[in-house]
């Protein structure tokens, strides 16, 4: 099948789909998949858990107060589970890869089952303005969640996706969709309650597939959200690559010290990385997540893509331990790359002096207490 977006001048475009910038992804062959499953079965993987996944009740008063705060919104991120995060920036409520279903699989009677419930239910969410969808894997693109959000009270959010998803949404009656290629920007306009926010799709080292015959047909990616009060990087799924150095360079002009410095917050994956021979081209491990954090030049990060679905061989609770070791080795303070409890909200310092002043004068919602583990 032909790629309708094909542009021979773009090196990540292929006549039949897309490819990574630095390491071409080749779909795993059936014998490799069987080898992994056989080795995992013989070794007794996934390894058993040692400690419970931390979960806290969400601070609904803060989240909903903040959702209504408009330009006085306190920049904040609430971890809902796996890679689903509620970002509150620039007066908008933005969800990343919303997955609220019990299983991340084409059917709900098989496939990886949730170990931990969502930190917020769909019904507990404030009205969502924007959904960022990184790619079409089932642990990121959950039909039930997307369709539910499209029918939320107050009208559907804007769904921003990489190229190749518009028809999937249209078949479900959802038309409020913007598709982006890598480095394309969609500007969310300024309104009386929100700031002007450019959203850019940026590369990631990953792949896509929804069925056994559509690998690499739709694009995948990461996102840069440049809200004037908070610049956020959302990785989606990614392995380590030089893409993150490129991303830092691309936005360097916005990240001078006079303009508030580098990314204020990154949402980076730390789970689903073993065995390495099978996963290293598609998922980073915690050590590589720290390298990505440093390559991007982030002020702080929140660890995501762990603790929710058992997808690979490492224990579900192992990634934070491996992250601590990696941070120690890299000389990065643990509090700058935070491991949150599911349901916890992380407030982020605003880049805007005026908002900081308002906050200090008590006009913006008071920050919740940060619950990390
Ligand atoms: Zn994926
Ligand atoms: Zn994933």
């Amino acid at each position: 099948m032909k790629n309708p977006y094909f542009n021979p001048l773009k090196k990540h475009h292929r006549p039949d789909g897309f490819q990574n910038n630095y390491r071409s992804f080749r779909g795993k062959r059936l014998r490799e998949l069987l080898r992994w499953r056989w080795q995992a079965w013989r070794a007794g993987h996934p390894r058993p858990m040692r400690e419970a996944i931390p979960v806290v009740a969400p601070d609904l008063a803060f989240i909903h107060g903040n959702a209504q705060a408009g330009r006085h919104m306190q920049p904040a991120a609430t971890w809902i589970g796996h890679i689903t995060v509620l970002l509150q920036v620039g007066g908008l409520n933005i969800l990343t890869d919303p997955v609220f279903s019990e299983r991340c699989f084409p059917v709900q009677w098989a496939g990886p089952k949730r170990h931990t419930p969502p930190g917020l239910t769909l019904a507990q969410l404030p009205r969502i303005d924007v959904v960022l969808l990184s790619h079409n894997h089932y642990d990121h693109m959950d039909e039930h969640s997307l369709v539910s959000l499209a029918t939320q009270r107050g009208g559907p959010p804007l769904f921003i996706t990489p190229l190749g998803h518009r028809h999937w949404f249209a078949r479900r009656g959802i038309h409020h969709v913007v598709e982006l290629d890598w480095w394309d920007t969609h500007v969310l306009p300024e309104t009386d309650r929100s700031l002007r926010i450019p959203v850019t799709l940026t590369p990631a080292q990953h792949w896509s597939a929804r069925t056994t015959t559509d690998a690499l047909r739709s694009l995948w990616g990461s996102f840069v959200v440049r809200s004037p009060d908070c610049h956020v990087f959302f990785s989606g799924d990614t392995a380590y690559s030089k893409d993150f150095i490129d991303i830092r360079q691309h936005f360097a002009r916005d990240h001078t010290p006079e303009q508030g410095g580098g990314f204020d917050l990154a949402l980076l994956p730390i789970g689903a990385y073993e065995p390495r021979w099978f996963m290293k081209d598609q998922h980073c491990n915690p050590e590589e997540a720290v390298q990505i954090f440093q390559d991007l030049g982030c002020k702080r990060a929140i660890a995501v893509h762990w603790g929710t679905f058992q997808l690979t061989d490492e224990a579900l609770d192992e990634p934070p331990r491996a992250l601590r070791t990696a941070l120690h080795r890299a000389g990065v303070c643990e509090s700058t790359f935070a491991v949150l409890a599911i349901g916890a909200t992380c407030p982020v310092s605003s880049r805007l002096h005026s908002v900081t002043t308002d906050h200090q004068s008590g006009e913006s919602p008071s920050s919740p207490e940060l619950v990390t583990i």
Side-chain angles (χ1 to χ4, degrees):
M1 212 166 85
K2 284 208 162 51
N3 174 3
Y5 306 90
F6 179 57
N7 177 348
L9 300 176
K10 296 194 176 188
K11 71 173 188 176
H12 66 290
H13 284 212
R14 294 283 182 276
D16 57 352
F18 299 94
Q19 193 47 270
N20 291 297
N21 281 331
Y22 290 103
R23 269 181 297 151
S24 289
F25 186 85
R26 175 182 61 74
K28 298 295 179 207
R29 300 204 170 89
L30 182 62
R31 67 165 190 273
E32 292 170 303
L33 184 67
L34 293 174
R35 184 176 138 216
W36 169 31
R37 298 317 308 153
W38 168 247
Q39 288 177 349
W41 181 78
R42 286 191 45 150
H45 292 159
R47 288 192 285 278
M49 290 170 61
R50 284 198 243 153
E51 45 201 326
I53 305 298
V55 178
V56 295
D59 188 341
L60 292 175
F62 169 80
I63 291 167
H64 285 273
N66 206 27
Q68 301 297 324
R71 287 157 179 261
H72 296 293
M73 180 178 264
Q74 160 74 52
T78 300
W79 188 35
I80 293 174
H82 198 50
I83 199 155
T84 309
V85 172
L86 171 65
L87 281 173
Q88 297 187 297
V89 294
L92 296 185
N93 296 287
I94 301 174
L95 262 189
T96 62
D97 289 351
V99 179
F100 292 83
S101 293
E102 195 53 23
R103 293 179 189 269
C104 54
F105 207 61
V107 292
Q108 284 294 307
W109 46 266
K113 197 169 182 300
R114 272 196 112 87
H115 179 85
T116 40
L120 282 165
T121 64
L122 278 164
Q124 287 174 320
L125 290 174
R127 182 182 175 274
I128 299 300
D129 299 289
V130 176
V131 169
L132 302 179
L133 181 72
S134 67
H135 66 301
N136 70 359
H137 286 154
Y138 284 89
D139 62 317
H140 297 253
M141 185 174 171
D142 175 40
E143 179 170 3
H144 174 72
S145 302
L146 294 168
V147 170
S148 299
L149 286 160
T151 56
Q152 71 179 347
R153 275 167 65 158
L158 177 66
F159 296 90
I160 306 183
T161 76
L163 296 177
H165 296 88
R166 190 186 294 282
H167 293 300
W168 186 93
F169 280 95
R171 281 199 296 277
R172 286 152 186 87
I174 304 171
H175 303 283
H176 207 211
V177 177
V178 167
E179 287 184 324
L180 299 177
D181 199 354
W182 288 349
W183 308 114
D184 283 353
T185 297
H186 176 77
V187 178
L188 302 167
E190 184 175 3
T191 68
D192 52 1
R193 69 177 188 92
S194 63
L195 304 171
R196 178 184 181 274
I197 305 177
V199 176
T200 306
L201 184 74
T202 42
Q205 166 70 37
H206 198 58
W207 63 301
S208 66
R210 196 78 181 160
T211 68
T212 52
T213 57
D214 69 350
L216 306 168
R217 292 262 169 80
S218 63
L219 187 59
W220 53 95
S222 55
F223 286 93
V224 169
V225 178
R226 280 172 293 158
S227 182
D229 57 349
C230 189
H231 286 196
V232 183
F233 176 77
F234 166 51
S235 64
D237 267 349
T238 190
Y240 180 74
S241 71
K242 290 182 187 152
D243 288 304
F244 306 100
I245 293 172
D246 297 342
I247 293 168
R248 181 184 193 158
Q249 282 169 355
H250 189 89
F251 294 100
R253 272 187 305 179
D254 289 345
H255 287 165
T256 59
E258 303 75 52
Q259 287 170 299
F263 291 106
D264 301 282
L265 179 68
L267 310 176
L268 298 178
I270 64 163
Y273 50 84
E274 284 197 355
R276 294 309 288 151
W277 67 265
F278 195 90
M279 294 295 164
K280 72 175 183 342
D281 290 337
Q282 46 187 316
H283 292 159
C284 59
N285 64 14
E287 205 174 331
E288 291 163 330
V290 173
Q291 188 63 54
I292 292 171
F293 174 75
Q294 294 183 310
D295 286 359
L296 286 166
C298 302
K299 294 176 194 162
R300 60 190 307 190
I302 294 175
V304 293
H305 208 261
W306 77 277
T308 312
F309 297 107
Q310 182 80 58
L311 301 174
T312 48
D313 287 357
E314 81 274 10
L316 199 63
D317 61 332
E318 183 184 291
R321 287 194 294 274
L323 177 65
R324 266 195 291 275
T325 306
L327 289 170
H328 185 72
R329 236 182 249 147
V332 179
C333 173
E334 277 182 33
S335 62
T336 58
F337 197 143
V339 176
L340 299 184
I342 288 176
T345 297
C346 174
V348 184
S349 303
S350 173
R351 294 172 80 84
L352 290 175
H353 290 279
S354 57
V355 174
T356 309
T357 308
D358 287 342
H359 175 54
Q360 284 164 350
S361 68
E363 285 183 38
S364 58
S366 59
S367 299
E369 204 174 310
L370 178 59
V371 184
T372 57
I373 61 165

